Amino acid sequence: MILGIGTDLANIERIAGTLERFGDRFRNRVFTEVEQRKAERRADTAGTYAKRWAAKEACSKALGTGLRMGIAWKDMAVSNLRSGQPVMEVTGWAAERLAEMTPEGHEAIIHVTLTDDHPWAQAFVVIEARPIDGGRKA
């Protein structure tokens, strides 16, 4: 069952300007250390940050709150599996909100996909509730 859907489009040049203007202050306020390490290793640093910015916006929308009601930027973090597939992890108030919206007997799975085509970065997030017993009938 789908619990939430969110999408966001971020302008890579806008994120590059923000990085240039505010530097570490911006990075440390919005991105986890893991996200920062990933972005700083990439040739397109601003594009990597922009995709993660979009993913956080999309996740907050899928949680049904947007970036209000206590969700902090770092409560949502994008990392990658060895295959390169992005995954979204939530902590703090975002994790509390996710638990609150997940029906009893289900686990929440957050699906995230990222793409960019300069000057745009886009993210799409779907939050799925999956029966813990795998949907088997007793």
PDB file of all heavy atoms in Angstrom, residues 91-131:
ATOM      1  N   THR A  91      15.570   9.776  10.399  1.00  0.00           N
ATOM      2  CA  THR A  91      15.821   9.771  11.837  1.00  0.00           C
ATOM      3  C   THR A  91      14.994  10.897  12.452  1.00  0.00           C
ATOM      4  O   THR A  91      14.307  11.635  11.734  1.00  0.00           O
ATOM      5  CB  THR A  91      17.320  10.002  12.135  1.00  0.00           C
ATOM      6  OG1 THR A  91      17.723  11.246  11.554  1.00  0.00           O
ATOM      7  CG2 THR A  91      18.185   8.875  11.587  1.00  0.00           C
ATOM      8  N   GLY A  92      15.092  11.039  13.744  1.00  0.00           N
ATOM      9  CA  GLY A  92      14.439  12.154  14.421  1.00  0.00           C
ATOM     10  C   GLY A  92      12.945  12.236  14.143  1.00  0.00           C
ATOM     11  O   GLY A  92      12.252  11.222  14.088  1.00  0.00           O
ATOM     12  N   TRP A  93      12.478  13.457  13.945  1.00  0.00           N
ATOM     13  CA  TRP A  93      11.050  13.679  13.753  1.00  0.00           C
ATOM     14  C   TRP A  93      10.542  13.009  12.479  1.00  0.00           C
ATOM     15  O   TRP A  93       9.408  12.532  12.436  1.00  0.00           O
ATOM     16  CB  TRP A  93      10.726  15.178  13.732  1.00  0.00           C
ATOM     17  CG  TRP A  93       9.276  15.423  13.974  1.00  0.00           C
ATOM     18  CD1 TRP A  93       8.679  15.624  15.184  1.00  0.00           C
ATOM     19  CD2 TRP A  93       8.230  15.451  12.996  1.00  0.00           C
ATOM     20  NE1 TRP A  93       7.319  15.788  15.005  1.00  0.00           N
ATOM     21  CE2 TRP A  93       7.018  15.690  13.675  1.00  0.00           C
ATOM     22  CE3 TRP A  93       8.189  15.300  11.615  1.00  0.00           C
ATOM     23  CZ2 TRP A  93       5.792  15.782  13.032  1.00  0.00           C
ATOM     24  CZ3 TRP A  93       6.968  15.389  10.966  1.00  0.00           C
ATOM     25  CH2 TRP A  93       5.790  15.631  11.672  1.00  0.00           C
ATOM     26  N   ALA A  94      11.365  12.925  11.445  1.00  0.00           N
ATOM     27  CA  ALA A  94      10.941  12.257  10.202  1.00  0.00           C
ATOM     28  C   ALA A  94      10.660  10.780  10.471  1.00  0.00           C
ATOM     29  O   ALA A  94       9.683  10.222   9.965  1.00  0.00           O
ATOM     30  CB  ALA A  94      12.002  12.416   9.119  1.00  0.00           C
ATOM     31  N   ALA A  95      11.496  10.143  11.286  1.00  0.00           N
ATOM     32  CA  ALA A  95      11.274   8.732  11.630  1.00  0.00           C
ATOM     33  C   ALA A  95      10.013   8.584  12.478  1.00  0.00           C
ATOM     34  O   ALA A  95       9.251   7.621  12.301  1.00  0.00           O
ATOM     35  CB  ALA A  95      12.480   8.169  12.374  1.00  0.00           C
ATOM     36  N   GLU A  96       9.790   9.538  13.376  1.00  0.00           N
ATOM     37  CA  GLU A  96       8.567   9.508  14.189  1.00  0.00           C
ATOM     38  C   GLU A  96       7.333   9.645  13.307  1.00  0.00           C
ATOM     39  O   GLU A  96       6.348   8.930  13.479  1.00  0.00           O
ATOM     40  CB  GLU A  96       8.597  10.635  15.227  1.00  0.00           C
ATOM     41  CG  GLU A  96       9.619  10.436  16.325  1.00  0.00           C
ATOM     42  CD  GLU A  96       9.739  11.646  17.235  1.00  0.00           C
ATOM     43  OE1 GLU A  96       8.773  12.440  17.323  1.00  0.00           O
ATOM     44  OE2 GLU A  96      10.805  11.803  17.856  1.00  0.00           O
ATOM     45  N   ARG A  97       7.377  10.570  12.363  1.00  0.00           N
ATOM     46  CA  ARG A  97       6.251  10.770  11.442  1.00  0.00           C
ATOM     47  C   ARG A  97       6.018   9.508  10.608  1.00  0.00           C
ATOM     48  O   ARG A  97       4.879   9.093  10.402  1.00  0.00           O
ATOM     49  CB  ARG A  97       6.521  11.977  10.543  1.00  0.00           C
ATOM     50  CG  ARG A  97       5.550  12.163   9.419  1.00  0.00           C
ATOM     51  CD  ARG A  97       4.174  12.554   9.909  1.00  0.00           C
ATOM     52  NE  ARG A  97       3.291  12.696   8.757  1.00  0.00           N
ATOM     53  CZ  ARG A  97       2.014  12.359   8.748  1.00  0.00           C
ATOM     54  NH1 ARG A  97       1.442  11.913   9.842  1.00  0.00           N
ATOM     55  NH2 ARG A  97       1.301  12.495   7.668  1.00  0.00           N
ATOM     56  N   LEU A  98       7.088   8.885  10.135  1.00  0.00           N
ATOM     57  CA  LEU A  98       6.969   7.660   9.349  1.00  0.00           C
ATOM     58  C   LEU A  98       6.312   6.556  10.167  1.00  0.00           C
ATOM     59  O   LEU A  98       5.398   5.874   9.687  1.00  0.00           O
ATOM     60  CB  LEU A  98       8.338   7.214   8.844  1.00  0.00           C
ATOM     61  CG  LEU A  98       8.364   5.981   7.951  1.00  0.00           C
ATOM     62  CD1 LEU A  98       7.560   6.207   6.670  1.00  0.00           C
ATOM     63  CD2 LEU A  98       9.802   5.612   7.610  1.00  0.00           C
ATOM     64  N   ALA A  99       6.733   6.400  11.411  1.00  0.00           N
ATOM     65  CA  ALA A  99       6.142   5.376  12.290  1.00  0.00           C
ATOM     66  C   ALA A  99       4.660   5.664  12.529  1.00  0.00           C
ATOM     67  O   ALA A  99       3.828   4.742  12.520  1.00  0.00           O
ATOM     68  CB  ALA A  99       6.902   5.320  13.615  1.00  0.00           C
ATOM     69  N   GLU A 100       4.331   6.937  12.702  1.00  0.00           N
ATOM     70  CA  GLU A 100       2.958   7.356  12.951  1.00  0.00           C
ATOM     71  C   GLU A 100       2.036   7.041  11.768  1.00  0.00           C
ATOM     72  O   GLU A 100       0.883   6.670  11.951  1.00  0.00           O
ATOM     73  CB  GLU A 100       2.988   8.870  13.205  1.00  0.00           C
ATOM     74  CG  GLU A 100       1.697   9.537  13.506  1.00  0.00           C
ATOM     75  CD  GLU A 100       1.944  11.032  13.687  1.00  0.00           C
ATOM     76  OE1 GLU A 100       2.493  11.409  14.738  1.00  0.00           O
ATOM     77  OE2 GLU A 100       1.609  11.806  12.772  1.00  0.00           O
ATOM     78  N   MET A 101       2.550   7.161  10.560  1.00  0.00           N
ATOM     79  CA  MET A 101       1.710   6.950   9.375  1.00  0.00           C
ATOM     80  C   MET A 101       1.721   5.497   8.880  1.00  0.00           C
ATOM     81  O   MET A 101       0.974   5.150   7.976  1.00  0.00           O
ATOM     82  CB  MET A 101       2.100   7.916   8.250  1.00  0.00           C
ATOM     83  CG  MET A 101       3.494   7.755   7.728  1.00  0.00           C
ATOM     84  SD  MET A 101       4.042   9.099   6.632  1.00  0.00           S
ATOM     85  CE  MET A 101       3.139   8.772   5.143  1.00  0.00           C
ATOM     86  N   THR A 102       2.545   4.644   9.498  1.00  0.00           N
ATOM     87  CA  THR A 102       2.634   3.243   9.083  1.00  0.00           C
ATOM     88  C   THR A 102       1.598   2.413   9.840  1.00  0.00           C
ATOM     89  O   THR A 102       1.597   2.395  11.069  1.00  0.00           O
ATOM     90  CB  THR A 102       4.049   2.691   9.353  1.00  0.00           C
ATOM     91  OG1 THR A 102       5.001   3.524   8.677  1.00  0.00           O
ATOM     92  CG2 THR A 102       4.182   1.260   8.856  1.00  0.00           C
ATOM     93  N   PRO A 103       0.705   1.736   9.111  1.00  0.00           N
ATOM     94  CA  PRO A 103      -0.323   0.927   9.783  1.00  0.00           C
ATOM     95  C   PRO A 103       0.288  -0.203  10.614  1.00  0.00           C
ATOM     96  O   PRO A 103       1.354  -0.736  10.287  1.00  0.00           O
ATOM     97  CB  PRO A 103      -1.140   0.343   8.624  1.00  0.00           C
ATOM     98  CG  PRO A 103      -0.796   1.156   7.430  1.00  0.00           C
ATOM     99  CD  PRO A 103       0.581   1.683   7.658  1.00  0.00           C
ATOM    100  N   GLU A 104      -0.392  -0.562  11.664  1.00  0.00           N
ATOM    101  CA  GLU A 104       0.036  -1.667  12.506  1.00  0.00           C
ATOM    102  C   GLU A 104       0.155  -2.933  11.655  1.00  0.00           C
ATOM    103  O   GLU A 104      -0.643  -3.178  10.761  1.00  0.00           O
ATOM    104  CB  GLU A 104      -0.989  -1.894  13.621  1.00  0.00           C
ATOM    105  CG  GLU A 104      -0.515  -2.875  14.665  1.00  0.00           C
ATOM    106  CD  GLU A 104      -1.484  -2.981  15.843  1.00  0.00           C
ATOM    107  OE1 GLU A 104      -2.086  -1.950  16.206  1.00  0.00           O
ATOM    108  OE2 GLU A 104      -1.609  -4.097  16.359  1.00  0.00           O
ATOM    109  N   GLY A 105       1.182  -3.716  11.938  1.00  0.00           N
ATOM    110  CA  GLY A 105       1.406  -4.955  11.197  1.00  0.00           C
ATOM    111  C   GLY A 105       2.120  -4.745   9.864  1.00  0.00           C
ATOM    112  O   GLY A 105       2.241  -5.669   9.067  1.00  0.00           O
ATOM    113  N   HIS A 106       2.604  -3.519   9.615  1.00  0.00           N
ATOM    114  CA  HIS A 106       3.295  -3.197   8.366  1.00  0.00           C
ATOM    115  C   HIS A 106       4.663  -2.595   8.672  1.00  0.00           C
ATOM    116  O   HIS A 106       4.897  -2.061   9.754  1.00  0.00           O
ATOM    117  CB  HIS A 106       2.489  -2.187   7.548  1.00  0.00           C
ATOM    118  CG  HIS A 106       1.247  -2.740   6.959  1.00  0.00           C
ATOM    119  ND1 HIS A 106       0.133  -3.030   7.715  1.00  0.00           N
ATOM    120  CD2 HIS A 106       0.929  -3.065   5.681  1.00  0.00           C
ATOM    121  CE1 HIS A 106      -0.815  -3.507   6.931  1.00  0.00           C
ATOM    122  NE2 HIS A 106      -0.358  -3.540   5.697  1.00  0.00           N
ATOM    123  N   GLU A 107       5.544  -2.673   7.705  1.00  0.00           N
ATOM    124  CA  GLU A 107       6.820  -1.976   7.768  1.00  0.00           C
ATOM    125  C   GLU A 107       6.835  -0.961   6.632  1.00  0.00           C
ATOM    126  O   GLU A 107       6.262  -1.199   5.572  1.00  0.00           O
ATOM    127  CB  GLU A 107       8.001  -2.944   7.632  1.00  0.00           C
ATOM    128  CG  GLU A 107       8.060  -3.654   6.292  1.00  0.00           C
ATOM    129  CD  GLU A 107       9.253  -4.582   6.164  1.00  0.00           C
ATOM    130  OE1 GLU A 107      10.280  -4.347   6.824  1.00  0.00           O
ATOM    131  OE2 GLU A 107       9.152  -5.536   5.382  1.00  0.00           O
ATOM    132  N   ALA A 108       7.460   0.179   6.883  1.00  0.00           N
ATOM    133  CA  ALA A 108       7.540   1.218   5.863  1.00  0.00           C
ATOM    134  C   ALA A 108       8.824   1.056   5.062  1.00  0.00           C
ATOM    135  O   ALA A 108       9.897   0.836   5.625  1.00  0.00           O
ATOM    136  CB  ALA A 108       7.494   2.593   6.504  1.00  0.00           C
ATOM    137  N   ILE A 109       8.690   1.143   3.761  1.00  0.00           N
ATOM    138  CA  ILE A 109       9.824   1.086   2.845  1.00  0.00           C
ATOM    139  C   ILE A 109       9.828   2.403   2.075  1.00  0.00           C
ATOM    140  O   ILE A 109       8.805   2.784   1.498  1.00  0.00           O
ATOM    141  CB  ILE A 109       9.691  -0.084   1.834  1.00  0.00           C
ATOM    142  CG1 ILE A 109       9.369  -1.406   2.526  1.00  0.00           C
ATOM    143  CG2 ILE A 109      10.925  -0.166   0.946  1.00  0.00           C
ATOM    144  CD1 ILE A 109      10.435  -1.941   3.415  1.00  0.00           C
ATOM    145  N   ILE A 110      10.963   3.089   2.072  1.00  0.00           N
ATOM    146  CA  ILE A 110      11.073   4.339   1.323  1.00  0.00           C
ATOM    147  C   ILE A 110      11.848   4.061   0.042  1.00  0.00           C
ATOM    148  O   ILE A 110      13.000   3.637   0.077  1.00  0.00           O
ATOM    149  CB  ILE A 110      11.787   5.432   2.140  1.00  0.00           C
ATOM    150  CG1 ILE A 110      11.059   5.688   3.458  1.00  0.00           C
ATOM    151  CG2 ILE A 110      11.897   6.716   1.319  1.00  0.00           C
ATOM    152  CD1 ILE A 110      11.771   6.647   4.381  1.00  0.00           C
ATOM    153  N   HIS A 111      11.202   4.310  -1.072  1.00  0.00           N
ATOM    154  CA  HIS A 111      11.833   4.173  -2.392  1.00  0.00           C
ATOM    155  C   HIS A 111      12.212   5.572  -2.872  1.00  0.00           C
ATOM    156  O   HIS A 111      11.405   6.502  -2.757  1.00  0.00           O
ATOM    157  CB  HIS A 111      10.870   3.542  -3.395  1.00  0.00           C
ATOM    158  CG  HIS A 111      10.325   2.218  -2.966  1.00  0.00           C
ATOM    159  ND1 HIS A 111      11.005   1.040  -3.156  1.00  0.00           N
ATOM    160  CD2 HIS A 111       9.168   1.897  -2.326  1.00  0.00           C
ATOM    161  CE1 HIS A 111      10.283   0.033  -2.676  1.00  0.00           C
ATOM    162  NE2 HIS A 111       9.163   0.534  -2.168  1.00  0.00           N
ATOM    163  N   VAL A 112      13.414   5.728  -3.404  1.00  0.00           N
ATOM    164  CA  VAL A 112      13.850   7.028  -3.905  1.00  0.00           C
ATOM    165  C   VAL A 112      14.588   6.843  -5.220  1.00  0.00           C
ATOM    166  O   VAL A 112      15.323   5.863  -5.391  1.00  0.00           O
ATOM    167  CB  VAL A 112      14.734   7.781  -2.878  1.00  0.00           C
ATOM    168  CG1 VAL A 112      15.988   6.999  -2.532  1.00  0.00           C
ATOM    169  CG2 VAL A 112      15.085   9.177  -3.349  1.00  0.00           C
ATOM    170  N   THR A 113      14.338   7.745  -6.148  1.00  0.00           N
ATOM    171  CA  THR A 113      15.095   7.752  -7.385  1.00  0.00           C
ATOM    172  C   THR A 113      15.532   9.187  -7.660  1.00  0.00           C
ATOM    173  O   THR A 113      14.817  10.133  -7.339  1.00  0.00           O
ATOM    174  CB  THR A 113      14.288   7.163  -8.567  1.00  0.00           C
ATOM    175  OG1 THR A 113      15.126   7.072  -9.717  1.00  0.00           O
ATOM    176  CG2 THR A 113      13.064   7.985  -8.890  1.00  0.00           C
ATOM    177  N   LEU A 114      16.744   9.325  -8.190  1.00  0.00           N
ATOM    178  CA  LEU A 114      17.340  10.626  -8.454  1.00  0.00           C
ATOM    179  C   LEU A 114      17.772  10.706  -9.908  1.00  0.00           C
ATOM    180  O   LEU A 114      18.213   9.711 -10.483  1.00  0.00           O
ATOM    181  CB  LEU A 114      18.585  10.833  -7.581  1.00  0.00           C
ATOM    182  CG  LEU A 114      18.463  10.574  -6.087  1.00  0.00           C
ATOM    183  CD1 LEU A 114      19.835  10.638  -5.423  1.00  0.00           C
ATOM    184  CD2 LEU A 114      17.520  11.576  -5.469  1.00  0.00           C
ATOM    185  N   THR A 115      17.679  11.897 -10.487  1.00  0.00           N
ATOM    186  CA  THR A 115      18.173  12.099 -11.842  1.00  0.00           C
ATOM    187  C   THR A 115      18.578  13.550 -12.000  1.00  0.00           C
ATOM    188  O   THR A 115      18.146  14.413 -11.227  1.00  0.00           O
ATOM    189  CB  THR A 115      17.128  11.697 -12.902  1.00  0.00           C
ATOM    190  OG1 THR A 115      17.742  11.685 -14.190  1.00  0.00           O
ATOM    191  CG2 THR A 115      15.934  12.637 -12.907  1.00  0.00           C
ATOM    192  N   ASP A 116      19.414  13.824 -12.976  1.00  0.00           N
ATOM    193  CA  ASP A 116      19.739  15.209 -13.278  1.00  0.00           C
ATOM    194  C   ASP A 116      20.033  15.366 -14.761  1.00  0.00           C
ATOM    195  O   ASP A 116      20.468  14.426 -15.426  1.00  0.00           O
ATOM    196  CB  ASP A 116      20.920  15.703 -12.441  1.00  0.00           C
ATOM    197  CG  ASP A 116      22.208  14.989 -12.737  1.00  0.00           C
ATOM    198  OD1 ASP A 116      22.325  13.790 -12.402  1.00  0.00           O
ATOM    199  OD2 ASP A 116      23.113  15.609 -13.324  1.00  0.00           O
ATOM    200  N   ASP A 117      19.717  16.532 -15.261  1.00  0.00           N
ATOM    201  CA  ASP A 117      20.016  16.951 -16.622  1.00  0.00           C
ATOM    202  C   ASP A 117      20.239  18.455 -16.497  1.00  0.00           C
ATOM    203  O   ASP A 117      19.276  19.212 -16.368  1.00  0.00           O
ATOM    204  CB  ASP A 117      18.859  16.626 -17.566  1.00  0.00           C
ATOM    205  CG  ASP A 117      19.182  16.898 -19.025  1.00  0.00           C
ATOM    206  OD1 ASP A 117      20.343  17.240 -19.329  1.00  0.00           O
ATOM    207  OD2 ASP A 117      18.272  16.784 -19.859  1.00  0.00           O
ATOM    208  N   HIS A 118      21.496  18.836 -16.436  1.00  0.00           N
ATOM    209  CA  HIS A 118      21.858  20.220 -16.125  1.00  0.00           C
ATOM    210  C   HIS A 118      20.976  21.199 -16.898  1.00  0.00           C
ATOM    211  O   HIS A 118      20.789  21.026 -18.091  1.00  0.00           O
ATOM    212  CB  HIS A 118      23.334  20.454 -16.446  1.00  0.00           C
ATOM    213  CG  HIS A 118      23.869  21.685 -15.794  1.00  0.00           C
ATOM    214  ND1 HIS A 118      24.363  21.666 -14.524  1.00  0.00           N
ATOM    215  CD2 HIS A 118      23.925  22.958 -16.216  1.00  0.00           C
ATOM    216  CE1 HIS A 118      24.738  22.892 -14.191  1.00  0.00           C
ATOM    217  NE2 HIS A 118      24.474  23.685 -15.198  1.00  0.00           N
ATOM    218  N   PRO A 119      20.396  22.151 -16.198  1.00  0.00           N
ATOM    219  CA  PRO A 119      20.626  22.615 -14.841  1.00  0.00           C
ATOM    220  C   PRO A 119      19.644  22.063 -13.811  1.00  0.00           C
ATOM    221  O   PRO A 119      19.495  22.647 -12.736  1.00  0.00           O
ATOM    222  CB  PRO A 119      20.445  24.130 -14.964  1.00  0.00           C
ATOM    223  CG  PRO A 119      19.329  24.266 -15.944  1.00  0.00           C
ATOM    224  CD  PRO A 119      19.569  23.132 -16.936  1.00  0.00           C
ATOM    225  N   TRP A 120      18.993  20.946 -14.096  1.00  0.00           N
ATOM    226  CA  TRP A 120      17.957  20.442 -13.190  1.00  0.00           C
ATOM    227  C   TRP A 120      18.350  19.126 -12.538  1.00  0.00           C
ATOM    228  O   TRP A 120      18.954  18.266 -13.161  1.00  0.00           O
ATOM    229  CB  TRP A 120      16.629  20.255 -13.938  1.00  0.00           C
ATOM    230  CG  TRP A 120      16.156  21.543 -14.522  1.00  0.00           C
ATOM    231  CD1 TRP A 120      16.166  21.904 -15.847  1.00  0.00           C
ATOM    232  CD2 TRP A 120      15.637  22.667 -13.824  1.00  0.00           C
ATOM    233  NE1 TRP A 120      15.693  23.177 -15.993  1.00  0.00           N
ATOM    234  CE2 TRP A 120      15.362  23.669 -14.772  1.00  0.00           C
ATOM    235  CE3 TRP A 120      15.399  22.934 -12.476  1.00  0.00           C
ATOM    236  CZ2 TRP A 120      14.846  24.916 -14.404  1.00  0.00           C
ATOM    237  CZ3 TRP A 120      14.879  24.166 -12.128  1.00  0.00           C
ATOM    238  CH2 TRP A 120      14.610  25.139 -13.083  1.00  0.00           C
ATOM    239  N   ALA A 121      17.952  18.987 -11.276  1.00  0.00           N
ATOM    240  CA  ALA A 121      18.087  17.733 -10.531  1.00  0.00           C
ATOM    241  C   ALA A 121      16.693  17.399 -10.022  1.00  0.00           C
ATOM    242  O   ALA A 121      15.955  18.285  -9.573  1.00  0.00           O
ATOM    243  CB  ALA A 121      19.043  17.901  -9.362  1.00  0.00           C
ATOM    244  N   GLN A 122      16.317  16.139 -10.114  1.00  0.00           N
ATOM    245  CA  GLN A 122      14.974  15.742  -9.712  1.00  0.00           C
ATOM    246  C   GLN A 122      15.040  14.507  -8.824  1.00  0.00           C
ATOM    247  O   GLN A 122      15.900  13.641  -8.994  1.00  0.00           O
ATOM    248  CB  GLN A 122      14.119  15.423 -10.937  1.00  0.00           C
ATOM    249  CG  GLN A 122      12.681  15.081 -10.586  1.00  0.00           C
ATOM    250  CD  GLN A 122      11.830  14.818 -11.822  1.00  0.00           C
ATOM    251  OE1 GLN A 122      12.319  14.357 -12.836  1.00  0.00           O
ATOM    252  NE2 GLN A 122      10.549  15.115 -11.706  1.00  0.00           N
ATOM    253  N   ALA A 123      14.100  14.448  -7.890  1.00  0.00           N
ATOM    254  CA  ALA A 123      13.964  13.279  -7.015  1.00  0.00           C
ATOM    255  C   ALA A 123      12.493  12.911  -6.933  1.00  0.00           C
ATOM    256  O   ALA A 123      11.616  13.777  -6.999  1.00  0.00           O
ATOM    257  CB  ALA A 123      14.506  13.573  -5.626  1.00  0.00           C
ATOM    258  N   PHE A 124      12.256  11.625  -6.776  1.00  0.00           N
ATOM    259  CA  PHE A 124      10.915  11.090  -6.618  1.00  0.00           C
ATOM    260  C   PHE A 124      10.969  10.094  -5.469  1.00  0.00           C
ATOM    261  O   PHE A 124      11.843   9.226  -5.448  1.00  0.00           O
ATOM    262  CB  PHE A 124      10.489  10.402  -7.921  1.00  0.00           C
ATOM    263  CG  PHE A 124       9.027  10.080  -7.997  1.00  0.00           C
ATOM    264  CD1 PHE A 124       8.091  11.071  -8.221  1.00  0.00           C
ATOM    265  CD2 PHE A 124       8.592   8.784  -7.840  1.00  0.00           C
ATOM    266  CE1 PHE A 124       6.738  10.767  -8.298  1.00  0.00           C
ATOM    267  CE2 PHE A 124       7.252   8.473  -7.910  1.00  0.00           C
ATOM    268  CZ  PHE A 124       6.311   9.472  -8.144  1.00  0.00           C
ATOM    269  N   VAL A 125      10.059  10.230  -4.512  1.00  0.00           N
ATOM    270  CA  VAL A 125      10.028   9.356  -3.339  1.00  0.00           C
ATOM    271  C   VAL A 125       8.645   8.728  -3.207  1.00  0.00           C
ATOM    272  O   VAL A 125       7.636   9.430  -3.323  1.00  0.00           O
ATOM    273  CB  VAL A 125      10.377  10.136  -2.045  1.00  0.00           C
ATOM    274  CG1 VAL A 125      10.118   9.290  -0.808  1.00  0.00           C
ATOM    275  CG2 VAL A 125      11.820  10.608  -2.081  1.00  0.00           C
ATOM    276  N   VAL A 126       8.625   7.426  -2.987  1.00  0.00           N
ATOM    277  CA  VAL A 126       7.386   6.704  -2.696  1.00  0.00           C
ATOM    278  C   VAL A 126       7.591   5.977  -1.378  1.00  0.00           C
ATOM    279  O   VAL A 126       8.591   5.275  -1.202  1.00  0.00           O
ATOM    280  CB  VAL A 126       7.033   5.689  -3.810  1.00  0.00           C
ATOM    281  CG1 VAL A 126       5.821   4.855  -3.424  1.00  0.00           C
ATOM    282  CG2 VAL A 126       6.818   6.382  -5.139  1.00  0.00           C
ATOM    283  N   ILE A 127       6.647   6.172  -0.463  1.00  0.00           N
ATOM    284  CA  ILE A 127       6.692   5.441   0.803  1.00  0.00           C
ATOM    285  C   ILE A 127       5.635   4.348   0.736  1.00  0.00           C
ATOM    286  O   ILE A 127       4.458   4.628   0.520  1.00  0.00           O
ATOM    287  CB  ILE A 127       6.442   6.359   2.014  1.00  0.00           C
ATOM    288  CG1 ILE A 127       7.489   7.475   2.049  1.00  0.00           C
ATOM    289  CG2 ILE A 127       6.473   5.536   3.302  1.00  0.00           C
ATOM    290  CD1 ILE A 127       7.261   8.495   3.146  1.00  0.00           C
ATOM    291  N   GLU A 128       6.096   3.120   0.906  1.00  0.00           N
ATOM    292  CA  GLU A 128       5.242   1.934   0.817  1.00  0.00           C
ATOM    293  C   GLU A 128       5.101   1.285   2.197  1.00  0.00           C
ATOM    294  O   GLU A 128       6.068   1.240   2.949  1.00  0.00           O
ATOM    295  CB  GLU A 128       5.899   0.932  -0.153  1.00  0.00           C
ATOM    296  CG  GLU A 128       5.254  -0.424  -0.177  1.00  0.00           C
ATOM    297  CD  GLU A 128       6.096  -1.461  -0.937  1.00  0.00           C
ATOM    298  OE1 GLU A 128       7.259  -1.213  -1.285  1.00  0.00           O
ATOM    299  OE2 GLU A 128       5.540  -2.549  -1.160  1.00  0.00           O
ATOM    300  N   ALA A 129       3.909   0.818   2.493  1.00  0.00           N
ATOM    301  CA  ALA A 129       3.698   0.010   3.701  1.00  0.00           C
ATOM    302  C   ALA A 129       3.559  -1.434   3.251  1.00  0.00           C
ATOM    303  O   ALA A 129       2.691  -1.756   2.433  1.00  0.00           O
ATOM    304  CB  ALA A 129       2.446   0.456   4.443  1.00  0.00           C
ATOM    305  N   ARG A 130       4.432  -2.290   3.759  1.00  0.00           N
ATOM    306  CA  ARG A 130       4.443  -3.694   3.380  1.00  0.00           C
ATOM    307  C   ARG A 130       4.074  -4.527   4.603  1.00  0.00           C
ATOM    308  O   ARG A 130       4.630  -4.317   5.681  1.00  0.00           O
ATOM    309  CB  ARG A 130       5.845  -4.044   2.921  1.00  0.00           C
ATOM    310  CG  ARG A 130       5.927  -5.208   1.987  1.00  0.00           C
ATOM    311  CD  ARG A 130       7.356  -5.427   1.541  1.00  0.00           C
ATOM    312  NE  ARG A 130       7.715  -4.533   0.434  1.00  0.00           N
ATOM    313  CZ  ARG A 130       8.950  -4.373   0.003  1.00  0.00           C
ATOM    314  NH1 ARG A 130       9.951  -4.983   0.575  1.00  0.00           N
ATOM    315  NH2 ARG A 130       9.186  -3.567  -1.000  1.00  0.00           N
ATOM    316  N   PRO A 131       3.138  -5.493   4.463  1.00  0.00           N
ATOM    317  CA  PRO A 131       2.795  -6.340   5.618  1.00  0.00           C
ATOM    318  C   PRO A 131       4.039  -7.049   6.133  1.00  0.00           C
ATOM    319  O   PRO A 131       4.856  -7.554   5.363  1.00  0.00           O
ATOM    320  CB  PRO A 131       1.810  -7.358   5.037  1.00  0.00           C
ATOM    321  CG  PRO A 131       1.253  -6.705   3.818  1.00  0.00           C
ATOM    322  CD  PRO A 131       2.365  -5.848   3.264  1.00  0.00           C
TER     323      PRO A 131
END
